[in-house]
Amino acid sequence: MSFVALDWAILGLFALVLLGVVVWVALMKEEDTEDYFLAGRNAGWLVIGASIFASNIGSEHLVGLASAGAENGMAMAHWELQSWLILVLAWVFAPYFWRAKIFTTPEYLEKRYSSRTRTFFSFISLVSYVLTKVSVTVFAGGLAIQEIFGIDTMFGIDFFWIAAISLVLITGLYTVVGGMKAVLWTSVIQTPVLLLGSVIILFVGLTQLGGDGGLMEGFVVLKQASGENMHLFRPIDDPDFPWPAVVGGSIIIGAWYWCTDQYIVQRVLSARDMTQARRGAIFGGYLKLLPVFIFLMPGMIAAAMAQEGLISLEGGANAAFPTLVRELLPAGVKGVVLGGAIAALMSSLASLFNSSATLFTVDFYERIRPGLTQKHYLSVGRSATLVVVLLGIAWVPVIPMLGDSLYEALQKVQGLIAPAIVAVFFVGLWSTRATPEAGFYGLVAGFAAGMLRLVLDLSPGLTNAHPALTAIQSLNWLYYCCGLLAFTLAVMFVVSLVTRPKSREALDGLTHQSISSEQAQDVRASWNLWDVVHTVAILSITAIIYIIFW
């Protein structure tokens, strides 16, 4: 089934609305870097929560999570269900971050540890953005659009590159022009479009799978076709997803992403006050309960339909989502779903571009050349965004080397980066005994050990050089992720024993052990029963999902 006039009309309407928002934001004068990078610190909880969700859900979810569902069923659902950890950001980290009035999470590491810890963490963040998030999102988006349209080449050029580069350049343009405000406000529009398109895919897929029995019969057929893939937990001797490693690894990666990553935290830092910051994160937590059902489960539906002979997945697991769109949806609806896919790509990339520009400008450039005008720093931030765009495009060809399942490949790389960061942040927040040297050397050692595994994965021939390298490369990647956390904690513990910690005065308000009674009262005044009830609700729903799909 090809695109018809109605589909193009819906896409055109979506583009016009988005353009109108960007123009409106561009006409609003940006006074300084705080306005450009953090939307003037005046965002409310609704905008923050919608932006968290839309920024997190990129095309790597639409394509990658569906791919994971088609290949491994519910095994990769843990990474989505661990999004309850955003509540740790809301209740634990957000008060410290917001009260410190920081632009970036590396700034917190400078205050807590040292300047070089901040610099190294900023470097890690920028590298991870370009090599994983930007490139993976672009790859998935280009693949989805190419598969949905069914076009191989245009003007003698691979249509994948035309689609991917066009969307990246358009997204980069509106991010450069509008800054964080453009990201936040377009997210409010894109989120419902994305949700609508994905829900349509879910219901139509189940109905088609159920045949004459309809939607409910579709669930029965899906369960029968999926078999063991319908369960979250695999046996402890499973070669790919042993349950202890899955639980540990998914929590570590989730804690890094939801509590410390600039990509997510920047949305919370844009809040007008501590209450809005917390409630925005809580609202984002509600929205994050949906991806398992609207993104991963359609991949399982595609695999089941392929088993029943209803569709063909000749393009492999990564083609699950675009195949469902192309084969199942009627005219008009297809335009809505593609609009959702484009919305996901643009919102996710826009957030990455803006966060990268913030990190470069605030954590590198402004420290090298202090005292310049705010206008100059805004210009540098926009230039940094353009550089990130180009670097992201340059790394897209590397993505197919990371594995067959796009989402699993992404988690493997993030599992090598996250443990060291989680250790440094969580220990730094809870303990005054961790020294500046412990923070720096723990981060360096953990990151180096993670990159060693990545090099061995990409160059398996190196493992023959020494039995130790063979052991490192052959260890299940989830167990290795857990081991990295233990290794980093051990380094921090040893270094802290032989170095001097900062004084309590220097750590005032930066750790749980060094907040004043007045600061504790400010935090208490920022929440009430509303926050508690909704927090408990999110945790309860998460627990129920685990019980159902145990």
Side-chain angles (χ1 to χ4, degrees):
M1 297 175 63
S2 60
F3 256 49
V4 298
L6 181 58
D7 294 309
W8 286 110
I10 291 175
L11 276 179
L13 179 61
F14 169 76
L16 287 175
V17 173
L18 194 66
L19 177 63
V21 172
V22 174
V23 171
W24 170 64
V25 170
L27 294 176
M28 299 169 65
K29 184 179 180 181
E30 290 158 347
E31 301 295 340
D32 52 28
T33 51
E34 182 175 285
D35 203 39
Y36 182 75
F37 294 130
L38 297 180
R41 293 190 192 270
N42 195 38
W45 66 268
L46 179 63
V47 172
I48 293 170
S51 181
I52 287 174
F53 180 75
S55 300
N56 166 250
I57 301 300
S59 51
E60 77 276 11
H61 277 75
L62 289 173
V63 177
L65 202 51
S67 168
E71 186 167 343
N72 299 306
M74 293 292 288
M76 296 299 295
H78 291 274
W79 279 259
E80 293 304 307
L81 294 175
Q82 300 300 359
S83 60
W84 66 266
L85 286 162
I86 197 173
L87 299 174
V88 179
L89 171 65
W91 287 96
V92 180
F93 282 89
Y96 295 94
F97 291 160
W98 191 88
R99 183 171 54 237
K101 297 296 182 183
I102 58 176
F103 278 84
T104 67
T105 49
E107 281 187 87
Y108 174 79
L109 291 187
E110 179 178 33
K111 294 174 182 291
R112 174 58 186 86
Y113 293 110
S114 63
S115 176
R116 59 179 179 171
T117 305
R118 169 185 178 175
T119 300
F120 192 73
F121 178 59
S122 296
F123 167 75
I124 294 175
S125 299
L126 286 172
V127 170
S128 68
Y129 285 175
V130 172
L131 299 187
T132 60
K133 295 181 181 179
V134 173
S135 53
V136 167
T137 302
V138 171
F139 176 83
L143 177 64
I145 294 174
Q146 182 183 40
E147 290 287 339
I148 291 173
F149 279 109
I151 301 175
D152 294 325
T153 60
M154 180 178 287
F155 309 118
I157 303 173
D158 189 339
F159 187 70
F160 166 84
W161 286 106
I162 294 177
I165 293 177
S166 297
L167 287 172
V168 168
L169 292 178
I170 293 172
T171 305
L173 178 62
Y174 96 66
T175 308
V176 167
V177 172
M180 187 62 185
K181 284 183 180 177
V183 175
L184 288 173
W185 284 107
T186 53
S187 296
V188 174
I189 297 173
Q190 293 165 351
T191 299
V193 173
L194 172 60
L195 290 175
L196 176 62
S198 301
V199 169
I200 291 173
I201 281 282
L202 174 65
F203 280 90
V204 172
L206 283 173
T207 302
Q208 292 282 338
L209 190 60
D212 294 336
L215 183 67
M216 298 309 297
E217 181 64 21
F219 276 110
V220 175
V221 176
L222 176 63
K223 186 175 181 180
Q224 293 173 346
S226 299
E228 289 299 316
N229 279 350
M230 203 69 180
H231 297 287
L232 282 163
F233 293 98
R234 305 289 172 84
I236 195 170
D237 58 350
D238 188 277
D240 299 315
F241 301 102
W243 72 262
V246 168
V247 173
S250 62
I251 289 178
I252 291 169
I253 295 173
W256 158 68
Y257 185 81
W258 293 111
C259 299
T260 72
D261 193 8
Q262 174 70 13
Y263 183 53
I264 294 299
V265 174
Q266 188 172 356
R267 272 96 214 120
V268 176
L269 295 180
S270 67
R272 69 171 65 101
D273 55 44
M274 206 179 301
T275 299
Q276 298 301 312
R278 179 181 296 104
R279 292 183 177 180
I282 291 173
F283 179 48
Y286 270 118
L287 294 176
K288 278 297 294 177
L289 293 169
L290 300 174
V292 169
F293 303 102
I294 64 175
F295 299 134
L296 185 142
M297 197 162 284
M300 298 173 65
I301 292 171
M305 294 183 72
Q307 290 181 32
E308 298 291 324
L310 299 175
I311 62 173
S312 173
L313 285 180
E314 294 181 355
N318 284 336
F321 170 78
T323 299
L324 289 176
V325 174
R326 186 182 64 246
E327 299 295 333
L328 300 185
L329 299 186
V333 177
K334 193 177 300 184
V336 172
V337 174
L338 183 58
I342 294 175
L345 171 67
M346 294 180 66
S347 182
S348 184
L349 283 178
S351 300
L352 282 168
F353 296 158
N354 191 267
S355 295
S356 300
T358 307
L359 284 173
F360 178 80
T361 304
V362 177
D363 289 328
F364 287 100
Y365 190 82
E366 193 169 346
R367 296 167 66 198
I368 296 173
R369 300 191 63 188
L372 300 179
T373 64
Q374 294 294 313
K375 183 178 181 180
H376 178 79
Y377 290 133
L378 285 176
S379 177
V380 170
R382 291 187 171 102
S383 299
T385 301
L386 293 176
V387 172
V388 170
V389 171
L390 296 176
L391 290 176
I393 293 174
W395 274 100
V396 167
V398 180
I399 299 303
M401 299 172 58
L402 297 176
D404 295 330
S405 173
L406 186 63
Y407 191 74
E408 182 180 349
L410 177 63
Q411 299 305 331
K412 283 182 177 179
V413 176
Q414 293 182 158
L416 301 176
I417 296 172
I421 298 172
V422 169
V424 170
F425 269 94
F426 276 76
V427 172
L429 186 73
W430 287 101
S431 172
T432 57
R433 185 63 186 83
T435 67
E437 290 78 10
F440 176 71
Y441 288 111
L443 194 61
V444 171
F447 179 71
M451 292 304 98
L452 172 62
R453 171 61 184 256
L454 181 61
V455 170
L456 294 177
D457 284 343
L458 295 177
S459 306
L462 294 176
T463 59
N464 298 324
H466 195 278
L469 297 179
T470 303
I472 290 174
Q473 199 278 328
S474 61
L475 183 65
N476 181 282
W477 66 278
L478 289 163
Y479 280 126
Y480 193 84
C481 176
C482 298
L484 277 178
L485 178 64
F487 171 69
T488 305
L489 290 172
V491 171
M492 294 184 68
F493 178 76
V494 172
V495 174
S496 292
L497 289 178
V498 297
T499 54
R500 186 187 300 274
K502 281 187 173 184
S503 65
R504 282 190 171 269
E505 291 74 19
L507 295 177
D508 180 46
L510 295 176
T511 75
H512 181 68
Q513 297 177 351
S514 62
I515 58 173
S516 66
S517 58
E518 291 80 8
Q519 291 168 336
Q521 289 173 4
D522 287 341
V523 174
R524 176 60 187 87
S526 68
W527 60 270
N528 55 33
L529 185 60
W530 186 99
D531 305 87
V532 175
V533 169
H534 288 284
T535 296
V536 172
I538 292 173
L539 293 174
S540 299
I541 295 171
T542 302
I544 291 171
I545 294 173
Y546 265 103
I547 293 172
I548 292 175
F549 292 98
W550 183 272

